[in-house]
Amino acid sequence: MMKVFCWDFDGTITVSNPLWTGCMVDALKLTDPTVDDSFFDIIRPYMAFGFPWHTPNKDYSQYTGDAWWKLTEKHFCESYIKCGISSETAYKAAEKVRKIIIQESRYTVYDDAVETLCKLRQHGAKNILLSNNYPELRIVLKTLDIEKYFDEVIISAEVGYNKPNKEIFDITKSKYPNADFYMIGDSINADIVGGNQNGMITFLVHSGYSDKADYCFDNLSSIVELA
């Protein structure tokens, strides 16, 4: 039976930095040059909530594409204001995040990611990118020259559902009916619990050990042994 490996993006394919926090700081610095890097610690707590994937049970099918950005920019603006930024500056800075987040310099692909993706394909498997992310993620995949290693790309901001919501997993599994599915990710809730609840074998990577996952690896290359 065909094997299909579903891959998370941030923290799984690419090194996980405080991506959104860094973008928020840089957007504000572009808007107000008096802001320095100390704002990082001030804004960071506000990035732990307010995104669609923080409430994955909700239906966000009305918030895809530009509507997704309108929703999240509202959260950005409100977060800035709560941190003491004027509403005018907050609004201008929030609009800049969209262009900053797609900069190639924001991402570092794990050293063994491409090799692992290629070897899985050589074993006859399919690779699907399954990510809770912004609509322009495909642009980043092309910029990083890794889009070609995925047979399908499923992004929450395109389909309106977020892992671990069953809907996004159903969309994913519909691509290859009757195949065996594997979920690879660094998030216990989104990737491991989501994968388990939807009949997938789960791999927790770059995140230590959890008894919720079927397998736990510090690298990606070990996955090939089970292909």
Side-chain angles (χ1 to χ4, degrees):
M1 186 176 291
M2 179 185 292
K3 294 182 178 181
V4 179
F5 290 84
C6 301
W7 295 79
D8 175 52
F9 182 70
D10 294 317
T12 301
I13 294 291
T14 58
V15 176
S16 181
N17 295 313
L19 180 63
W20 288 101
T21 304
C23 290
M24 289 285 284
V25 173
D26 289 348
L28 184 59
K29 288 166 69 176
L30 286 173
T31 308
D32 180 358
T34 66
V35 173
D36 59 33
D37 290 336
S38 64
F39 189 74
F40 184 95
D41 292 330
I42 299 172
I43 194 67
R44 188 172 186 182
Y46 294 93
M47 298 296 98
F49 63 90
F51 288 88
W53 46 79
H54 291 130
T55 49
N57 291 330
K58 291 181 64 175
D59 179 346
Y60 285 96
S61 57
Q62 300 298 313
Y63 296 97
T64 59
D66 289 340
W68 187 92
W69 278 110
K70 184 175 181 180
L71 181 67
T72 52
E73 284 171 2
K74 181 176 182 292
H75 171 56
F76 298 159
C77 191
E78 291 173 347
S79 298
Y80 281 135
I81 292 171
K82 290 175 182 176
C83 292
I85 305 302
S86 71
S87 57
E88 180 182 359
T89 300
Y91 178 80
K92 291 178 179 178
E95 287 188 318
K96 291 181 171 67
V97 176
R98 185 172 186 174
K99 290 185 177 180
I100 291 174
I101 195 76
I102 65 172
Q103 294 171 345
E104 183 178 1
S105 60
R106 303 277 164 184
Y107 305 89
T108 301
V109 178
Y110 274 103
D111 291 340
D112 57 350
V114 170
E115 180 183 12
T116 301
L117 287 162
C118 289
K119 286 185 176 179
L120 291 176
R121 272 189 168 178
Q122 290 170 6
H123 282 278
K126 300 290 185 180
N127 292 312
I128 294 180
L129 188 79
L130 177 54
S131 178
N132 288 348
N133 235 308
Y134 53 87
E136 290 87 348
L137 183 60
R138 291 176 186 271
I139 295 174
V140 174
L141 296 177
K142 290 180 180 179
T143 301
L144 297 174
D145 198 29
I146 59 174
E147 185 188 40
K148 59 191 175 185
Y149 301 113
F150 295 99
D151 300 284
E152 301 283 347
V153 173
I154 299 172
I155 304 167
S156 62
E158 289 186 341
V159 301
Y161 299 97
N162 295 268
K163 297 177 294 182
N165 191 305
K166 183 177 183 294
E167 294 289 345
I168 195 169
F169 283 96
D170 285 347
I171 291 169
T172 303
K173 295 177 77 172
S174 71
K175 302 295 182 179
Y176 298 100
N178 304 316
D180 288 331
F181 280 81
Y182 301 75
M183 184 70 226
I184 305 164
D186 67 312
S187 168
I188 297 294
N189 187 49
D191 302 316
I192 305 307
V193 173
N196 290 340
Q197 291 176 344
N198 290 280
M200 297 183 177
I201 295 173
T202 53
F203 295 84
L204 180 67
V205 295
H206 308 138
S207 298
Y209 174 79
S210 171
D211 59 6
K212 290 183 172 63
D214 293 303
Y215 300 94
C216 300
F217 295 129
D218 293 327
N219 56 55
L220 300 176
S221 57
S222 297
I223 296 169
V224 177
E225 301 172 8
L226 300 169

